[in-house]
Amino acid sequence: MFCFQCEQTDRTGQTPGCAGARGNCGKTPVTADLQDLLVHAVKGIAQYASRARVLGAGDDDAARFVLFSMFTTLTNVNFTPTRFVSLLREAEGVRNRVRERYEEAARARGLVPEALSGPATWSPEPDLDGMLRQAAEVGVRAGLDVVGPDVVGLRALCLYGLKGVCAYAHHATVLGLHDPKVYAEVEDLLSFLADNPTDPDQLLERALRVGMLNLDVMRLLDAANTGTFGSPQPTAVRTTPVAGKAILVSGHDLKDLAALLEQTAGTGINVYTHGEMLPAHGYPALRAHEHLVGNYGGAWHEQQVEFARFPGPILMTSNCIIEPHLSYRHRIFTTGPVGWPGVRHLTEDFRPVIQAAMAMPGFAETEEPERAITVGFARDAVLSVTDRIVDAVRQGAVRHFFLIGGCDGPTPGRNYFTDLALSAPQDSVILTLGCNKYRFNDHDFGSIGGIPRLLDLGQCNDTYSAITIALRLAKEFGCDVNELPLTLALSWMEQKAVAVLLSLLALGIRNIHLGPDLPGFLTPNLVARIVDEFGLRTVGDPAEDIATALGRR
C-alpha cells in the first residue's frame, strides 16, 4: 500500500506517505489497495458516462453509484475489504450498462462509438489475490517514474478534491436532491483523470474546476438540508447527560439521524449527537424531537475513550470511524458508506440499535448543573442581523473577524487553533465550523452589542454558509472579500477539507492559514506555486498572526 491522502500521513520517511503493514488511520494494505482499484473502476464508468451524457443518454443511477463508491474511499470511512470486493464487481456491471447506453446513443446519431482504453477496459480478477495484483498497477503514484512527483501531486489534488465533492453530493442525493449538471461535471473530471494527464497548468486549472464544482455541491447540500429540516436557528445544546436509556449518533448524515429519531419516538430512549453531528440541533425539524436531548463528547479522534464510556449503542453514519475498541465493538453499528470488519452494518432499519439501547443501562441520573453550547448560526441566522454587524464594524465595536474552521485531529500543532481563538481580541468575532471547534467552543467568549463573539456555522460542508456571509459582507462594504477585516485559519484532515480549500482558492480568496501541516501529496514545487499564486500559508505563531491581521506589524 501507499497512501498520502490525509493529514495523518506518515512523514517519517523520505517521501510522505503511509506504507507497510498499516496506515496511520488503521487502514490495512488490502483495504488501501482495493480502494485504489475502486477509484480506477469508477474512472472507467466515468469515461463512458461522460460521453453518454453528452449524447443525451446520461445514467443518473450510475452517477450516484460513483458518488457512493468514491465516498467509501475517504479517510476513516470504510475499512471492510469484502465490501470493496462487492463494490468492484458491481462497478463492472455498472460500467457495462453505461457503455451499452453510450454505444446505442452514438449509433442512433450515426456516430461510430469511440474505442476507449485505460480504466474503461478494466474487469476484476475472479479472486482477491488477482484484484490486489491489479491494484498494484493503478495506485496513486502510478507513472511516477515517467511524469515525476509534481504531476502525481497535482493528479492527487484533483482526485482528493473530487472525493470530497462526491461525499457532499452523496449527502444531498440521499435527501432527494439531484442535479444532473453535478453528475456531468464529476464524470467529466474523473474521465479527465482516467487519461493520466501530464500538463501541470491543465491539472491546476482542473483542480480549481473541482473547487467551483464543490461550491455548487455545497449549495445543493445546503438546499437539501434546509429544505428537509428547516433553516438552522441559534440553539443551546445540552452537553451533560440526562437520566435514561441512550443512543449516540456520530458522523454527518442528517437523514440517518432523522430516521433514528422517528424510530425511537415513544420508546423512552434519549438520543445524543457526537462529533460533526452536533449542528443537527439547530435544525427545527430535528430539534422538534424532544428525545434529541443533547451532545455527548467532542471531536472524532476522541471516540475510543468517549464511546467506551457511553452507556448505550453507537451509530456511525459517515466518515470519522476509527478502530472500535473491544469495550464497545459489540455495540457500535455502521450505516451508509461506513464499514469496519466485524461491525454490524444496517440499512434504514435501526431496530438492532434500539434493542441494544433497551438492553443497556443508559445514564443512571441527570448530571447537574446543566452545561450547554450554542449552535445554529448558519447563513440565514447571521444574514438576518447583517445590518447590526455592519454597523458594529463601522462604529469600531467589531474590528476583525476570524474564521477558524475545519477538521480536528490528534496530530501535534492543532493547539494553534485553540490559541488563536482564545487570544483573539475582545473586539473581534469568531466564526467556526467543522469539528475543530471542539477545541474552544465551551469557552465563554461573551458578546458585542448583542452579537455573540463565537458563531458556530455548522458542519464542514456548511462552508457554503461562511462563503455566503463573507460575500454578503463584502457587498455591504463595497469591497472585495480579500479586503474584509477577515482572517481564515483552516485545519485540514481529509478529502472534504481538500474540496473546501479548492473552493476558496477558486473564488480567489487569498492568504488562507492552513495547518497544522500542508498536504503530503503537495511537493515543494507545488507548494511554492500555490503560495505564489494564492498566498496560501501554513499556520504559525498565533500572536504574530493576530498582530499581522490587525495591522500591528
Side-chain angles (χ1 to χ4, degrees), residues 151-389:
V151 168
V152 167
L154 284 168
R155 289 174 181 173
L157 180 63
C158 292
L159 175 63
Y160 298 153
L162 262 177
K163 285 189 178 187
V165 167
C166 289
Y168 289 142
H170 171 77
H171 283 306
T173 62
V174 298
L175 288 173
L177 208 53
H178 311 278
D179 187 348
K181 293 181 181 178
V182 167
Y183 298 157
E185 186 71 351
V186 169
E187 292 162 352
D188 186 67
L189 287 163
L190 281 171
S191 180
F192 166 74
L193 290 175
D195 291 334
N196 294 320
T198 59
D199 184 329
D201 292 335
Q202 185 185 37
L203 279 161
L204 186 56
E205 182 272 328
R206 291 298 177 112
L208 296 179
R209 267 183 60 180
V210 171
M212 292 308 295
L213 171 62
N214 187 59
L215 187 62
D216 290 338
V217 169
M218 288 193 296
R219 184 184 299 114
L220 188 72
L221 179 54
D222 179 88
N225 286 338
T226 57
T228 305
F229 305 112
S231 294
Q233 301 169 355
T235 303
V237 182
R238 184 184 182 110
T239 58
T240 45
V242 175
K245 306 286 187 180
I247 295 174
L248 188 62
V249 185
S250 192
H252 305 71
D253 200 296
L254 299 181
K255 182 181 179 182
D256 287 328
L257 174 62
L260 180 67
L261 288 169
E262 292 168 3
Q263 293 175 37
T264 51
T267 63
I269 298 172
N270 293 322
V271 176
Y272 297 79
T273 56
H274 175 271
E276 281 273 66
M277 198 62 81
L278 167 64
H281 293 268
Y283 290 91
L286 297 174
R287 192 174 64 248
H289 293 272
E290 294 183 357
H291 60 299
L292 180 63
V293 297
N295 188 77
Y296 180 91
W300 65 273
H301 60 94
E302 302 287 351
Q303 67 187 252
Q304 288 182 325
V305 172
E306 293 168 351
F307 289 2
R309 292 174 178 169
F310 189 76
I314 304 105
L315 179 66
M316 293 296 304
T317 67
S318 66
N319 48 316
C320 293
I321 192 172
I322 58 179
E323 182 173 7
H325 192 271
L326 291 176
S327 62
Y328 62 86
R329 187 170 297 189
H330 63 290
R331 55 183 173 87
I332 185 171
F333 301 83
T334 60
T335 189
V338 195
W340 190 278
V343 169
R344 188 168 179 183
H345 189 78
L346 305 175
T347 305
E348 297 183 353
D349 183 354
F350 297 128
R351 280 179 294 182
V353 183
I354 296 170
Q355 292 166 359
M358 297 301 291
M360 294 192 65
F363 289 101
E365 58 185 25
T366 298
E367 184 178 325
E368 299 293 352
E370 176 182 344
R371 297 191 300 275
I373 50 180
T374 302
V375 302
F377 292 100
R379 58 183 175 84
D380 287 348
V382 175
L383 293 179
S384 68
V385 294
T386 299
D387 292 343
R388 291 168 56 191
I389 294 174

